[in-house]
């Protein structure tokens, strides 16, 4: 039946079409070779892979096979990872190998584990690394510093010495302006640390190729940069980039979704990045959606696996359109130019690649934008006249389907392309659609299991506990008083990635099916001024704001001051060209501070020259009930929001810091209750949020947690 379906989907005409004129002729000329194909890859960054290590072993191995095993699934040529920096870089925080200057630990996080798993499946896979942000101590808050060059070298050395990983490429600063002198310094530092083989990719900006203009007049910079990479180039590169004499890469790309809508954009990027921009490598973010759907950019990955408690996972169309390249080509193949690549007359594009020995050839077509069938004739060199070509197709209904193989007739392949379809024609063999011939059952979806308990005693020091997703700070296992406990270990905000500012440290756990439940923990606050939080019914986490997630939460300090609150959507928001309109505020930003927060009293002190650029803010402040709970936030690049922290109850209680105290937040229907050391301090009625994840957090201070319990009510 599958073979019949594939034939119906894809009409192959394996006979000479006498009397019929082809819509388009394609000519394969082996003498017109283009640039060297350097591969297709995906990116694990921004905590996008966080939940994958927590999967049951059987399902985890299958998922990793789908991503990395040759001729099986995505079969990626490159894996790019974030060099973790203790800052939130999209969907969460990845823990650094050096929280503090005198701290060095090669066992934190999961990126080294992921790279090893990729290498285990494909020893030839290339490894790339890039920073989004760095810990607070780097260069006293200066990203472009000797400290940071050494920090990168530490990461590369730990990978090699402790994990047996040779990381091939390292970038600059994700999507931020670069420093020419620092790129040279980085190259010199890597050389001094005997990391000559690690090549530098620069400069990882968005849509920009400006670094090539500086490379042309700067021999030291030219030699330091091995490959020129940009992000989200929209198929384009500059004429100077094309003539610079370096490989051009789309070092991050993608539509941030793995469904068919996203897959259509991805296959166009793979083809057109070379056709128009001469980019020989494309990296897609993200590798896998292994984070909660309430976090920014849900469902961005080639696969989806964010239910480790059930083991459920999904392959997605984005994975299979990637296979149309990776299972039929390898880095080192050559693009063919002339009429062997380009755009189809009635919509779509195609590229042709040949193996280094010219014995194999693969042609990738996409007819995503076509509205009708197109008759194609591929004119082949004589050496392929008797070769059999396998044919694989993907469309909105069927992914990576093998059709009947075809052979040339009089040195031509003659066939019909259907609209909205991806095709690969190739002389290579051995391709597979995963375990299709011996299917493995995927576990059914399940709700997050309740009751859920964890005393954190079973982990190694430095590990992240199961199922947690840190949104600021890092919550990892430490030893305290001869007991393993969970601690928030980052004492202050690091040098942030400006596209995602960090709120107070907190982590979340669970799924959106959590409704009536309690979360309780034992909490140790070291100092009276330290803070701790419990969160319930967390509905949404937003990017580019320091505000609390949409949720209920209770906060208290070591002096016994407490408040039960809820966070709602912003009352007002907007964006300003801050360079012109915020001259009085911009100087308040520092290298490490990308968000400014003003309370109600400070808002009242804003001069008229500022307030006139905030339409609606004055009126909202004047008409809001309990305006003292308002706060105003502006992000460095001009986004602003007016929020209100709704205090549902508050008070003061006897409390002892430097010892364990038990706290519990309970939600049942419209009843929200807070207990501290077994004493009920507040019970209110509110139904702003019916369900959502649980969580806990701190201020920018260390704090310890033990005896987590999430129980149904």
């Amino acid at each position: 039946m599958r073979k019949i379906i594939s034939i119906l989907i894809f009409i192959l005409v394996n006979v000479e079409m006498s009397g019929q004129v082809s819509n388009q002729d394609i000519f394969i000329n082996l003498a017109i070779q283009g640039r060297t194909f350097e591969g297709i890859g995906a990116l694990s960054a921004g905590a996008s892979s966080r939940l994958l290590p927590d999967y049951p072993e059987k399902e985890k191995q299958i998922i990793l096979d789908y991503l990395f095993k040759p001729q099986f699934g995505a079969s990626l040529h490159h894996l790019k990872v974030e060099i973790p920096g203790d800052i939130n870089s999209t969907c969460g925080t990845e823990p650094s190998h050096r929280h503090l200057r005198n701290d060095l630990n090669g066992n934190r996080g999961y990126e080294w584990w992921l790279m090893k798993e990729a290498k285990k499946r494909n020893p030839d896979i290339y490894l790339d690394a890039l920073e989004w942000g760095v810990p607070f101590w780097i260069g006293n808050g200066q990203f472009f510093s000797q400290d940071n060059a050494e920090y990168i070298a530490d990461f590369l050395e730990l990978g090699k010495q402790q994990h047996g990983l040779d990381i091939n490429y390292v970038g600059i600063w994700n999507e931020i302006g670069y420093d020419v002198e620092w790129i040279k310094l980085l190259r010199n530092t890597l050389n001094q640390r005997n990391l000559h083989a690690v090549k530098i990719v620069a400069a990882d900006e968005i849509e920009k190729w400006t670094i090539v203009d500086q490379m042309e007049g700067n021999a030291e910079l030219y030699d330091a940069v091995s490959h020129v990479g940009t992000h989200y180039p929209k198929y384009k590169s500059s004429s100077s980039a094309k003539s610079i004499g370096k490989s051009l890469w789309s070092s991050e790309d993608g539509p941030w979704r793995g469904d068919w809508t996203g897959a259509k954009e991805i296959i166009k990027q793979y083809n057109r990045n070379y056709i128009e921009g001469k980019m020989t490598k494309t990296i897609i973010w993200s590798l896998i959606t292994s984070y909660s759907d309430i976090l920014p950019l849900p469902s961005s990955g080639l696969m989806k696996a964010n239910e480790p408690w059930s083991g459920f996972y999904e392959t997605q169309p984005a994975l299979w359109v990637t296979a149309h390249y990776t299972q039929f080509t390898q880095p080192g193949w050559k693009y063919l130019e002339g009429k062997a690549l380009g755009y189809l007359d009635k919509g779509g594009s195609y590229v042709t690649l040949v193996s280094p020995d010219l014995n194999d050839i693969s042609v990738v077509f996409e007819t995503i934008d076509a509205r009708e069938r197109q008759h194609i004739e591929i004119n082949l060199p004589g050496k392929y006249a008797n070769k059999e070509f396998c044919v694989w197709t993907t469309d909105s209904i069927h992914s990576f389907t093998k059709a009947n193989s075809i052979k040339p007739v009089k040195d031509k392949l003659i066939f019909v392309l259907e609209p909205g379809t991806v095709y690969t024609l190739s002389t290579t063999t051995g391709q597979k659609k995963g375990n299709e011939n011996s299917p493995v059952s995927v576990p059914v979806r399940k709700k997050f299991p309740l009751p859920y308990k964890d005393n954190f005693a079973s982990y190694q020091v430095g590990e992240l506990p199961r199922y947690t997703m840190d949104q600021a700070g890092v919550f990892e296992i430490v030893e305290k008083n001869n007991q393993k406990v969970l601690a928030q270990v980052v004492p202050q905000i690091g040098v942030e990635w400006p596209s995602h500012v960090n709120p107070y440290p907190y982590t979340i756990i669970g799924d959106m099916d959590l409704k009536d439940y309690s979360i309780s923990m034992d909490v140790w606050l070291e100092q009276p001024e330290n803070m701790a939080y419990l969160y319930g019914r967390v509905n949404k986490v937003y990017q580019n704001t320091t505000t609390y997630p949409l949720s209920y939460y209770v906060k208290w300090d070591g002096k016994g001051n407490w408040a039960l609150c809820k966070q709602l959507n912003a009352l007002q928001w907007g964006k300003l060209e801050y360079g012109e309109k915020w001259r009085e505020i911009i100087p308040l930003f520092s290298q490490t501070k990308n968000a400014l927060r003003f309370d109600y009293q400070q808002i009242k002190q804003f001069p008229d020259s500022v307030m006139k650029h905030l339409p609606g803010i004055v009126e909202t402040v004047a008409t809001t009930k309990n305006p003292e709970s308002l706060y105003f936030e502006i992000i460095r690049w001009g986004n602003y929001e007016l929020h209100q922290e709704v205090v549902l109850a508050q008070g003061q209680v006897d409390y002892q810091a430097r010892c364990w105290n038990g706290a519990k937040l309970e939600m049942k229907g419209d009843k929200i209750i807070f207990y501290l050391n077994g004493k009920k301090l507040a019970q209110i009625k509110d139904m702003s949020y019916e369900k959502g994840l649980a969580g806990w957090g701190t201020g920018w201070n260390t704090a310890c947690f033990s005896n987590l319990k999430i129980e149904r009510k």
Side-chain angles (χ1 to χ4, degrees):
M1 175 62 75
R2 182 175 298 279
K3 189 173 290 185
I4 294 172
I5 291 173
S6 68
I7 293 171
L8 290 174
I9 296 170
F10 174 41
I11 302 174
L12 290 171
V13 182
N14 194 21
V15 296
E16 184 175 7
M17 297 171 60
S18 57
Q20 186 171 5
V21 179
S22 174
N23 284 16
Q24 190 161 351
D25 286 327
I26 294 169
F27 293 89
I28 306 298
N29 186 339
L30 297 176
I32 312 179
Q33 294 191 7
R35 303 189 182 209
T36 301
F37 174 65
E38 294 178 272
I40 300 293
L43 175 57
S44 172
S48 58
S49 304
R50 168 62 192 96
L51 295 177
L52 180 56
D54 296 337
Y55 259 72
E57 197 60 31
K58 177 183 175 182
E59 284 71 35
K60 180 162 54 182
Q61 296 305 316
I62 293 171
I63 292 167
L64 291 164
D65 284 349
Y66 271 119
L67 294 171
F68 303 118
K69 187 176 178 180
Q71 293 192 314
F72 188 83
S75 306
L76 295 167
H77 304 135
H78 288 255
L79 170 61
K80 184 173 180 178
V81 303
E82 176 179 355
I83 300 176
D86 288 348
I87 56 92
N88 190 314
S89 49
T90 297
C91 309
T93 305
E94 300 203 19
S96 165
H97 54 285
R98 293 187 72 175
H99 293 317
L100 306 171
R101 185 180 293 276
N102 60 355
D103 165 56
L104 187 65
N105 188 327
N107 289 317
R108 292 195 186 106
Y110 37 88
E111 300 297 7
W112 282 310
W113 166 80
L114 186 61
M115 288 187 281
K116 286 191 289 187
E117 292 295 332
K119 276 285 188 183
K120 187 188 301 182
R121 287 159 176 80
N122 179 7
D124 295 326
I125 197 169
Y126 293 93
L127 301 176
D128 306 31
L130 176 64
E131 290 180 316
W132 270 247
V134 293
F136 70 95
W137 59 268
I138 293 285
N140 294 319
Q142 296 296 317
F143 183 94
F144 294 119
S145 59
Q146 182 67 48
D147 270 352
N148 195 19
E150 301 289 352
Y151 180 81
I152 292 172
D154 289 339
F155 180 82
L156 300 171
E157 279 187 351
L158 285 169
K160 185 176 183 64
Q161 296 170 3
Q162 199 162 323
H163 300 284
L165 296 167
D166 289 311
I167 296 173
N168 306 97
Y169 306 102
V170 66
I172 310 304
W173 190 1
N174 185 70
E175 298 169 3
I176 305 301
Y178 55 90
D179 182 301
V180 166
E181 295 306 312
W182 188 81
I183 294 173
K184 299 176 191 177
L185 183 149
L186 175 62
R187 179 70 271 167
N188 291 332
T189 302
L190 297 181
N191 291 345
Q192 291 165 9
R193 299 278 290 269
N194 199 29
L195 294 164
H196 303 82
V198 180
K199 297 180 172 68
I200 290 179
V201 183
D204 297 305
E205 295 186 284
I206 299 177
E207 276 189 77
K208 295 180 181 178
W209 302 90
T210 51
I211 194 169
V212 300
D213 300 319
Q214 292 167 292
M215 290 168 62
E216 287 176 338
N218 190 323
E220 186 180 357
L221 178 64
Y222 187 91
D223 291 340
V225 176
S226 296
H227 305 269
V228 179
T230 195
H231 293 190
Y232 304 96
K234 298 180 180 177
Y235 321 143
K236 307 291 185 183
S237 65
S238 65
S239 57
S240 56
K242 291 173 186 172
S243 62
I244 194 65
K246 303 280 187 178
S247 298
L248 306 183
W249 290 355
S250 176
S251 47
E252 183 179 331
D253 216 327
W256 304 337
R257 55 190 300 173
D259 59 8
W260 176 239
T261 298
K264 291 189 295 183
E265 295 306 311
I266 287 172
I267 191 62
K268 289 196 289 185
Q269 288 162 353
Y270 290 158
N271 270 10
R272 301 178 190 197
N273 279 350
Y274 184 78
I275 293 170
E276 296 191 30
K278 299 307 174 191
M279 286 167 269
T280 55
K281 169 179 155 183
T282 297
I283 297 283
I284 296 296
W285 187 83
S286 68
L287 172 73
I288 187 167
T289 301
S290 256
Y291 55 92
S292 171
D293 289 339
I294 73 165
L295 295 174
L297 307 179
S299 302
S300 67
L302 299 179
M303 290 184 70
K304 190 168 186 178
N306 59 0
E307 275 191 21
W309 47 86
S310 72
F312 177 78
Y313 62 88
E314 299 174 78
T315 61
Q316 299 193 113
L319 181 142
W320 297 116
V321 298
T322 298
H324 275 274
Y325 262 80
T326 55
Q327 291 203 33
F328 302 90
T329 62
Q330 288 298 320
W333 282 43
K334 289 278 189 178
Y335 285 99
L336 293 182
E337 298 281 355
K339 289 192 175 182
L341 85 170
Y343 287 97
L344 297 166
D345 291 342
K346 295 185 178 179
S349 65
Y350 66 99
V351 296
T352 304
L353 298 104
V354 293
S355 62
D357 59 10
L358 305 183
N359 285 334
D360 282 305
I361 185 169
S362 297
V363 189
V364 183
F365 292 92
E366 57 84 9
T367 59
I368 299 304
D369 300 326
R371 293 293 178 265
E372 58 184 278
R373 291 177 177 174
Q374 300 179 72
H375 294 278
I376 303 296
E377 291 187 9
I378 300 180
N379 298 268
L380 296 166
K383 71 177 300 172
Y384 304 123
N386 295 314
K387 290 224 175 189
E388 187 172 80
F389 283 73
C390 66
V391 180
W392 291 74
T393 70
T394 293
D395 62 18
S396 62
I397 300 173
H398 302 94
S399 292
F400 209 58
T401 301
K402 187 175 184 181
N404 288 338
S405 297
I406 59 173
K407 293 188 73 172
V409 175
K410 295 183 179 180
D411 295 341
K412 290 184 179 181
L413 290 176
I414 307 172
F415 60 98
V416 174
L417 296 175
E418 297 288 342
T421 308
V422 181
Y423 301 87
T424 303
L425 280 66
S426 179
T427 58
T428 61
T429 59
Q431 292 78 22
K432 296 184 187 69
K433 187 178 182 181
N435 292 309
E436 190 171 43
N437 294 328
S438 53
V440 175
S441 60
V442 178
V444 298
R445 303 194 69 168
K446 294 179 182 177
K447 297 178 180 180
F448 185 79
L450 292 184
Y452 183 79
K453 300 179 181 181
D454 198 340
N455 64 6
F456 309 117
S458 63
Y459 303 97
Q460 298 297 315
V461 170
E463 276 192 282
L464 304 174
R466 282 180 297 274
Y467 310 152
T468 56
M469 293 166 279
D470 298 348
Q471 296 306 296
V474 173
F475 294 80
E476 66 182 36
I477 306 303
V478 302
E479 198 164 274
K480 185 175 183 63
N481 300 331
N482 297 317
Q483 176 187 357
K484 288 180 183 175
V485 299
L486 185 65
Q488 198 293 112
V489 296
V490 178
Q492 65 186 78
I493 295 175
V495 181
E496 298 176 291
W497 179 47
S499 291
H500 195 133
V501 295
N502 288 252
Y504 284 136
Y506 73 96
T507 192
I508 54 176
I509 189 172
D511 62 23
M512 279 301 294
D513 287 319
L514 294 177
K515 186 175 181 180
D516 292 337
Y517 65 93
S518 66
I519 173 173
S520 62
M521 302 186 83
D522 293 336
V523 183
W524 179 293
L525 294 179
E526 192 66 27
Q527 301 294 335
E529 62 271 16
N530 291 168
M531 297 287 298
Y533 296 74
L534 289 180
Y535 292 89
R537 294 181 178 172
V538 179
N539 263 246
K540 188 70 177 176
V541 174
Y542 287 106
Q543 199 170 7
N544 302 334
T545 178
T546 67
T547 193
Y548 302 101
L550 302 188
S551 62
Y552 297 108
Y553 56 96
V554 62
K555 58 182 178 178
W556 68 98
D557 63 21
K559 300 175 184 177
N561 301 302
W562 62 269
L564 177 59
C565 310
K566 66 178 177 181
Q567 182 66 51
L568 302 176
N569 274 314
L571 300 175
Q572 293 281 336
W573 60 90
K575 182 175 177 64
L576 295 175
E577 297 299 327
Y578 64 84
E580 294 297 322
K581 300 177 180 177
W582 285 90
R583 296 187 186 280
E584 297 172 66
I585 290 180
I586 290 305
L588 300 178
F589 288 101
S590 66
Q591 172 83 8
T592 59
K593 196 157 193 163
N594 291 311
L596 296 176
R597 193 166 180 166
F598 304 91
D599 62 25
Y600 173 63
Q601 294 300 325
Q602 292 170 317
I603 296 171
K604 291 198 301 182
Q605 300 303 314
F606 282 176
D608 292 341
S609 59
V610 170
M611 295 304 289
K612 71 180 183 181
H613 298 303
L614 298 174
I617 295 292
V618 175
E619 293 81 0
T620 302
V621 170
T623 57
T624 297
K625 185 178 180 181
N626 301 321
E628 63 279 356
S629 61
L630 292 171
Y631 62 93
F632 182 82
E633 179 181 73
I634 180 168
I635 309 302
R636 182 189 292 271
W637 51 93
N639 291 356
Y640 67 84
E641 294 183 352
L642 181 68
H643 291 276
Q644 184 175 32
E645 180 182 55
V646 181
V647 177
L648 302 171
Q650 60 185 334
Q652 207 275 338
V653 67
D654 290 337
Y655 191 89
Q656 188 72 40
R658 297 181 185 171
C659 67
W660 291 103
N661 292 269
K664 181 165 74 170
L665 178 62
E666 181 178 308
M667 295 144 291
K668 185 173 183 179
D670 64 354
K671 295 185 182 67
I672 316 297
I673 308 171
F674 170 49
Y675 300 86
L676 194 58
N677 291 325
K679 181 179 180 180
K680 183 191 291 187
L681 297 183
Q683 177 171 328
I684 60 95
K685 285 191 173 186
D686 191 273
M687 207 56 183
S688 298
Y689 300 115
E690 184 180 355
K691 55 185 180 178
L693 286 71
W696 56 92
T698 68
W700 283 108
N701 55 261
T702 56
C704 294
F705 300 85
S706 188
N707 295 324
L708 166 66
K709 296 179 184 178
I710 306 174
E711 300 174 294
R712 198 179 309 279
K713 291 296 173 184

